[in-house]
Amino acid sequence: MEIIVTEEAEKKIKAKRSGKNSSHLKLKYDTEGCGCVVSGVAALWLVNELEDDDHEIHTNIGSIYIEKSKEVFFEETMTIAFSEKANCFQLKSPNQYLNPRMSLYDRTDS
């Protein structure tokens, strides 16, 4: 799997991570409140601890983790971008937008 992070998205991620050197960035397939595992939505999470199922993906900005069991919901090649106009992250592949309004949640204090 290949994930490319645009320069704009990298700046926003770094700003959110400021002062949280030990945090990990996860591309989470979030199913909470969706009712069904296939109805999930992609989101970025900052977390302190990794789960046993987390798989490391090396990117142009460092490591991003994805739950191995949820990789099936993602594409082989993806880009994480940031839209200033919409003020949100976007997850896209060469074929489609996987989430055109993706959020970054700080789960380090939870």
Side-chain angles (χ1 to χ4, degrees), residues 5-110:
V5 181
T6 66
E7 196 173 315
E8 297 82 14
E10 178 182 11
K11 288 177 189 174
K12 294 292 182 178
I13 291 167
K14 281 185 177 179
K16 189 78 167 183
R17 287 180 107 168
S18 180
K20 300 177 190 292
N21 294 336
S22 64
S23 67
H24 303 282
L25 183 62
K26 286 182 70 167
L27 180 56
K28 176 79 171 164
Y29 186 75
D30 193 3
T31 58
E32 187 174 319
C34 294
C36 177
V37 73
V38 296
S39 298
V41 63
L44 292 170
W45 284 17
L46 288 178
V47 298
N48 286 326
E49 302 290 328
L50 295 172
E51 304 293 324
D52 291 338
D53 190 34
D54 289 339
H55 177 236
E56 184 177 18
I57 307 293
H58 298 282
T59 75
N60 59 307
I61 66 162
S63 296
I64 295 178
Y65 296 86
I66 297 179
E67 293 167 286
K68 188 92 171 133
S69 60
K70 302 295 191 303
E71 284 184 0
V72 67
F73 298 110
F74 295 105
E75 303 262 344
E76 190 58 36
T77 302
M78 298 179 292
T79 300
I80 297 173
F82 188 84
S83 169
E84 289 290 341
K85 186 175 180 179
N87 194 33
C88 63
F89 291 91
Q90 298 178 324
L91 181 64
K92 51 190 171 182
S93 74
N95 302 318
Q96 65 180 325
Y97 277 93
L98 297 155
N99 188 348
R101 293 178 123 4
M102 187 167 65
S103 298
L104 172 57
Y105 298 102
D106 185 349
R107 305 284 184 169
T108 59
D109 297 328
S110 314

